[in-house]
mmCIF file of all heavy atoms in Angstrom:
data_model
loop_
_atom_site.group_PDB
_atom_site.id
_atom_site.type_symbol
_atom_site.label_atom_id
_atom_site.label_comp_id
_atom_site.label_asym_id
_atom_site.label_seq_id
_atom_site.Cartn_x
_atom_site.Cartn_y
_atom_site.Cartn_z
ATOM 1 N N ALA A 169 45.617 124.181 51.229
ATOM 2 C CA ALA A 169 44.360 124.560 51.902
ATOM 3 C C ALA A 169 44.091 126.050 51.688
ATOM 4 O O ALA A 169 42.963 126.458 51.395
ATOM 5 C CB ALA A 169 44.446 124.224 53.390
ATOM 6 N N ILE A 170 45.139 126.864 51.793
ATOM 7 C CA ILE A 170 44.989 128.310 51.579
ATOM 8 C C ILE A 170 44.574 128.593 50.139
ATOM 9 O O ILE A 170 43.698 129.428 49.879
ATOM 10 C CB ILE A 170 46.290 129.058 51.949
ATOM 11 C CG1 ILE A 170 46.525 129.008 53.464
ATOM 12 C CG2 ILE A 170 46.249 130.500 51.467
ATOM 13 C CD1 ILE A 170 47.855 129.596 53.917
ATOM 14 N N VAL A 171 45.201 127.873 49.194
ATOM 15 C CA VAL A 171 44.857 128.068 47.779
ATOM 16 C C VAL A 171 43.368 127.768 47.581
ATOM 17 O O VAL A 171 42.643 128.530 46.921
ATOM 18 C CB VAL A 171 45.722 127.163 46.863
ATOM 19 C CG1 VAL A 171 45.222 127.230 45.430
ATOM 20 C CG2 VAL A 171 47.186 127.571 46.938
ATOM 21 N N ALA A 172 42.890 126.684 48.179
ATOM 22 C CA ALA A 172 41.469 126.325 48.044
ATOM 23 C C ALA A 172 40.598 127.455 48.593
ATOM 24 O O ALA A 172 39.571 127.820 47.998
ATOM 25 C CB ALA A 172 41.190 125.020 48.789
ATOM 26 N N TYR A 173 40.999 128.032 49.718
ATOM 27 C CA TYR A 173 40.198 129.106 50.307
ATOM 28 C C TYR A 173 40.226 130.364 49.438
ATOM 29 O O TYR A 173 39.202 131.041 49.274
ATOM 30 C CB TYR A 173 40.690 129.423 51.728
ATOM 31 C CG TYR A 173 39.845 130.483 52.374
ATOM 32 C CD1 TYR A 173 38.512 130.236 52.698
ATOM 33 C CD2 TYR A 173 40.359 131.755 52.623
ATOM 34 C CE1 TYR A 173 37.715 131.221 53.252
ATOM 35 C CE2 TYR A 173 39.559 132.751 53.177
ATOM 36 C CZ TYR A 173 38.245 132.478 53.490
ATOM 37 O OH TYR A 173 37.443 133.452 54.031
ATOM 38 N N ILE A 174 41.387 130.655 48.837
ATOM 39 C CA ILE A 174 41.464 131.822 47.934
ATOM 40 C C ILE A 174 40.512 131.611 46.752
ATOM 41 O O ILE A 174 39.821 132.538 46.319
ATOM 42 C CB ILE A 174 42.915 132.041 47.439
ATOM 43 C CG1 ILE A 174 43.790 132.506 48.595
ATOM 44 C CG2 ILE A 174 42.951 133.070 46.306
ATOM 45 C CD1 ILE A 174 45.262 132.666 48.237
ATOM 46 N N ARG A 175 40.459 130.368 46.256
ATOM 47 C CA ARG A 175 39.529 130.065 45.152
ATOM 48 C C ARG A 175 38.092 130.334 45.589
ATOM 49 O O ARG A 175 37.269 130.859 44.826
ATOM 50 C CB ARG A 175 39.687 128.602 44.719
ATOM 51 C CG ARG A 175 40.966 128.324 43.951
ATOM 52 C CD ARG A 175 41.041 129.230 42.749
ATOM 53 N NE ARG A 175 42.118 128.940 41.830
ATOM 54 C CZ ARG A 175 42.588 129.817 40.954
ATOM 55 N NH1 ARG A 175 42.139 131.049 40.899
ATOM 56 N NH2 ARG A 175 43.537 129.485 40.126
ATOM 57 N N ALA A 176 37.785 129.976 46.850
ATOM 58 C CA ALA A 176 36.432 130.209 47.373
ATOM 59 C C ALA A 176 36.160 131.713 47.463
ATOM 60 O O ALA A 176 35.066 132.185 47.116
ATOM 61 C CB ALA A 176 36.273 129.548 48.739
ATOM 62 N N LEU A 177 37.181 132.468 47.911
ATOM 63 C CA LEU A 177 37.019 133.926 47.991
ATOM 64 C C LEU A 177 36.720 134.502 46.604
ATOM 65 O O LEU A 177 35.852 135.367 46.446
ATOM 66 C CB LEU A 177 38.310 134.568 48.506
ATOM 67 C CG LEU A 177 38.562 134.603 50.009
ATOM 68 C CD1 LEU A 177 39.888 135.302 50.280
ATOM 69 C CD2 LEU A 177 37.436 135.319 50.736
ATOM 70 N N GLN A 178 37.470 134.005 45.611
ATOM 71 C CA GLN A 178 37.258 134.506 44.244
ATOM 72 C C GLN A 178 35.866 134.156 43.753
ATOM 73 O O GLN A 178 35.163 134.996 43.187
ATOM 74 C CB GLN A 178 38.322 133.914 43.306
ATOM 75 C CG GLN A 178 39.715 134.436 43.590
ATOM 76 C CD GLN A 178 40.759 133.815 42.676
ATOM 77 O OE1 GLN A 178 40.680 132.632 42.342
ATOM 78 N NE2 GLN A 178 41.752 134.592 42.278
ATOM 79 N N LEU A 179 35.466 132.926 44.009
ATOM 80 C CA LEU A 179 34.151 132.466 43.549
ATOM 81 C C LEU A 179 33.036 133.268 44.218
ATOM 82 O O LEU A 179 31.994 133.537 43.608
ATOM 83 C CB LEU A 179 34.000 130.968 43.851
ATOM 84 C CG LEU A 179 32.723 130.301 43.371
ATOM 85 C CD1 LEU A 179 32.685 130.300 41.842
ATOM 86 C CD2 LEU A 179 32.633 128.855 43.891
ATOM 87 N N SER A 180 33.303 133.681 45.466
ATOM 88 C CA SER A 180 32.239 134.335 46.238
ATOM 89 C C SER A 180 31.719 135.598 45.542
ATOM 90 O O SER A 180 30.602 136.025 45.784
ATOM 91 C CB SER A 180 32.737 134.680 47.642
ATOM 92 O OG SER A 180 33.698 135.723 47.563
ATOM 93 N N ARG A 181 32.541 136.191 44.663
ATOM 94 C CA ARG A 181 32.080 137.417 43.982
ATOM 95 C C ARG A 181 31.629 137.146 42.555
ATOM 96 O O ARG A 181 31.290 138.062 41.822
ATOM 97 C CB ARG A 181 33.197 138.458 43.961
ATOM 98 C CG ARG A 181 33.556 138.860 45.363
ATOM 99 C CD ARG A 181 34.342 140.128 45.420
ATOM 100 N NE ARG A 181 34.837 140.280 46.782
ATOM 101 C CZ ARG A 181 35.696 141.189 47.151
ATOM 102 N NH1 ARG A 181 36.177 142.023 46.271
ATOM 103 N NH2 ARG A 181 36.087 141.259 48.397
ATOM 104 N N HIS A 182 31.696 135.891 42.170
ATOM 105 C CA HIS A 182 31.320 135.586 40.791
ATOM 106 C C HIS A 182 30.339 134.418 40.728
ATOM 107 O O HIS A 182 30.175 133.809 39.690
ATOM 108 C CB HIS A 182 32.570 135.264 39.953
ATOM 109 C CG HIS A 182 33.508 136.422 39.888
ATOM 110 N ND1 HIS A 182 33.385 137.430 38.963
ATOM 111 C CD2 HIS A 182 34.546 136.753 40.677
ATOM 112 C CE1 HIS A 182 34.333 138.334 39.184
ATOM 113 N NE2 HIS A 182 35.050 137.950 40.207
#
Side-chain angles (χ1 to χ4, degrees):
I170 291 174
V171 172
Y173 182 67
I174 291 176
R175 287 304 188 200
L177 277 181
Q178 292 179 323
L179 183 66
S180 70
R181 297 196 190 171
H182 298 275

